[in-house]
């Protein structure tokens, strides 16, 4: 390992990581009871630091984010952080049926705390009943549309993911780790029948994109391994977002390729 100015003190290995994706990469469910209930980005940073690596993880995942929304803000959310590693967590939002637009869903389900009595009254009279009505109609609508509609159609998802990876590799040289969609649990399957089959299709699309790029520094990380190990209830209580234990296992999956990459030629210091 490199040393500082001949003093004989090893320089720490340094790594900057950017996480991109939807709320799956952000939230812990049930909600955090204390700071030890962390998402996988936080846990990855912590585990790398415990190994003596000067790690800094920036989580740029967003509520209801999708892969085609990243490139318009790529300079600010990716390139500005000068990342060594970029983690992509997309697919489960894009594969869902598009009977309610993403704009509508973000507006209806985004938490907007307010002390304004008019705003609070509006939410109780209009928004909450709308949420319940939309949730009640989703199973019927999902069965009716089948595979005829997507939030981001498969062909475009594939091209947008390819373009995001290519520009990230070209401009930053970063290692790109691409998580496959976590298999949706029973709760989400009951809410949107067929979403499990949709997730399989998009998982295969992600694997195809990575295989076609044939770049050793673009790698798949199979999120389904966590469900295989822990089961649904311990992995994703609401069928979509990881539990604290689920995040721990995803962080462990990510740590392995990160450490292997860091130990490769030219990565020390």
């Amino acid at each position: 390992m490199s040393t500082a100015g001949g003093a004989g003190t090893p320089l720490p290995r340094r790594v900057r990581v950017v996480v991109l994706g939807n709320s799956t990469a952000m939230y812990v469910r049930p909600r955090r009871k204390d700071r030890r209930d962390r998402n996988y980005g936080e846990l990855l940073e912590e585990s790398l630091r415990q190994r003596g690596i000067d790690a800094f993880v920036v989580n740029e995942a967003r509520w209801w984010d999708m892969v085609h929304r990243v490139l318009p803000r790529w300079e600010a959310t990716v390139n500005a952080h000068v990342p060594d590693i970029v983690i992509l967590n997309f697919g489960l939002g894009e594969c869902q049926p598009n009977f309610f637009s993403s704009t509508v869903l973000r507006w209806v389900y985004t938490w907007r705390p307010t002390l304004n009595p008019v705003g609070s009254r509006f939410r109780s009279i209009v928004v909450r009943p709308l949420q319940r009505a939309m949730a009640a109609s989703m199973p019927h609508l999902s069965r009716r549309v089948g595979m005829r509609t997507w939030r981001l159609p498969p062909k475009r998802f594939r091209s947008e993911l390819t373009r995001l990876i290519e520009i990230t590799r070209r401009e930053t040289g970063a290692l790109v780790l691409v998580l496959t969609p976590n298999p949706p649990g029973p709760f989400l399957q009951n809410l949107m029948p067929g979403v499990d089959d949709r997730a399989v299709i998009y998982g295969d699309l992600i694997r195809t994109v990575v295989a076609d790029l044939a770049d050793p520094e673009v790698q798949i990380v199979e999120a389904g391994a966590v469900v295989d190990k822990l089961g649904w209830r311990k992995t994703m209580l609401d069928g979509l977002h990881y539990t604290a234990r689920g995040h721990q296992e995803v962080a462990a999956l990510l740590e392995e390729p990160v450490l292997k990459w860091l130990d490769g030629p030219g990565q020390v210091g």
Side-chain angles (χ1 to χ4, degrees), residues 4 63 91-92 110 113 179 190 219 242:
W63 174 252
L92 198 53
T110 297
L179 282 158
N190 290 333
Q219 301 174 19
Y242 292 115

Side-chain angles (χ1 to χ4, degrees), residues 90-210:
F90 295 100
L92 198 53
E94 291 88 344
C95 78
Q96 294 177 22
N98 195 32
F99 38 75
F100 299 126
S101 74
S102 301
T103 301
V104 170
L105 286 171
R106 274 195 296 272
W107 183 84
V108 171
Y109 287 102
T110 297
W111 182 54
R112 297 181 183 86
T114 177
L115 296 177
N116 186 314
V118 175
S120 299
R121 188 70 173 159
F122 177 78
R123 288 196 66 80
S124 64
I125 294 175
V126 177
V127 178
R128 291 192 183 96
L130 184 59
Q131 290 174 342
R132 290 192 289 268
M134 289 171 66
S137 67
M138 282 183 183
H140 170 71
L141 291 172
S142 294
R143 293 187 186 96
R144 185 161 186 169
V145 302
M147 296 286 183
R148 294 193 298 273
T149 179
W150 315 80
R151 295 207 179 282
L152 192 68
K155 184 177 180 180
R156 185 175 177 193
F157 175 79
R158 180 174 174 174
S159 63
E160 292 283 357
L161 180 62
T162 300
R163 190 164 60 136
L164 174 59
I165 294 172
E166 286 178 337
I167 193 171
T168 299
R169 288 286 298 136
R170 184 173 67 246
E171 298 296 332
T172 70
L175 171 69
V176 178
L177 300 178
V178 191
L179 282 158
T180 54
N182 48 309
F187 177 84
L188 196 61
Q189 291 179 39
N190 290 333
L191 186 66
M192 286 183 283
V195 72
D196 49 339
D197 293 331
R198 289 168 168 269
V200 169
I201 292 170
Y202 278 60
D204 288 342
L205 284 173
I206 290 170
R207 296 182 190 95
T208 299
V209 166
V210 173

Side-chain angles (χ1 to χ4, degrees), residues 220-235:
I220 286 285
V221 178
E222 295 285 353
V226 178
V227 177
D228 293 340
K229 180 177 181 178
L230 300 180
W232 297 110
R233 185 169 293 276
K234 291 183 179 179
T235 303

Side-chain angles (χ1 to χ4, degrees), residues 76-95:
T77 58
V78 181
N79 203 37
H81 298 299
V82 196
D84 302 292
I85 299 168
V86 175
I87 298 169
L88 303 180
N89 194 170
F90 295 100
L92 198 53
E94 291 88 344
C95 78

